[in-house]
Amino acid sequence: MTSSYYIRPHTNSPSASIYIRVSEGRYKQYRFATNYDLKQASSWNKNAQCVRTNSIEPFEIINLQLKRLKAHIIAEYYHAKSMGIPRSIRFYKAALSRFQLREMKVNSDRKILSLGDAFELYI
């Protein structure tokens, strides 16, 4: 099983979306949107499959999330393979959805503090 990232530029715009390609051989290839967008398609490093460090994008966050997504997909693949679960497009879509839901939950648990709350917490 291999996975890789690529971008699809938007028409009439310099922006692009990041996609993941999962391959289990020649005839089992699946492609999914990662829900990460780039303001400039030129910010993408095709060889390293990540956002360039000299771009206007928040490259550290996007690259970290892409690494975590790839690790999640690989872990789901090996878990399913060891349990004898068949992998299909529905399997990978569900794995991607679980990752995105988990990330939304982590982000929603972080409370944004007001200046007064932060001062009270400091004291």
Side-chain angles (χ1 to χ4, degrees):
M1 196 280 282
T2 60
S3 60
S4 59
Y5 291 108
Y6 66 99
I7 63 167
R8 280 191 181 169
H10 298 150
T11 55
N12 300 328
S13 174
S15 62
S17 297
I18 303 174
Y19 285 76
I20 186 168
R21 179 185 302 118
V22 179
S23 175
E24 289 188 38
R26 177 174 273 173
Y27 300 107
K28 289 187 176 180
Q29 295 183 1
Y30 310 105
R31 294 171 174 85
F32 306 101
T34 61
N35 295 334
Y36 294 109
D37 291 327
L38 301 174
K39 295 174 188 156
Q40 297 287 326
S42 62
S43 298
W44 184 251
N45 184 339
K46 183 178 178 180
N47 295 331
Q49 298 178 9
C50 64
V51 180
R52 297 178 194 274
T53 58
N54 60 351
S55 68
I56 60 171
E57 312 291 336
F59 66 91
E60 294 155 334
I61 295 169
I62 296 173
N63 288 341
L64 177 65
Q65 289 296 88
L66 293 178
K67 287 178 187 177
R68 293 178 68 203
L69 174 59
K70 188 180 272 193
H72 176 76
I73 295 289
I74 291 170
E76 291 279 333
Y77 165 79
Y78 283 117
H79 177 70
K81 187 176 178 182
S82 69
M83 301 295 283
I85 299 170
R87 286 133 354 249
S88 63
I89 193 164
R90 289 178 57 205
F91 169 79
Y92 288 110
K93 279 185 179 180
L96 186 64
S97 294
R98 282 190 297 273
F99 177 79
Q100 291 169 344
L101 287 174
R102 188 179 70 197
E103 291 304 311
M104 286 173 42
K105 183 178 186 302
V106 167
N107 289 338
S108 67
D109 287 344
R110 295 180 184 158
K111 182 181 174 187
I112 298 175
L113 298 175
S114 67
L115 183 59
D117 291 340
F119 187 68
E120 288 293 324
L121 184 63
Y122 179 75
I123 292 175

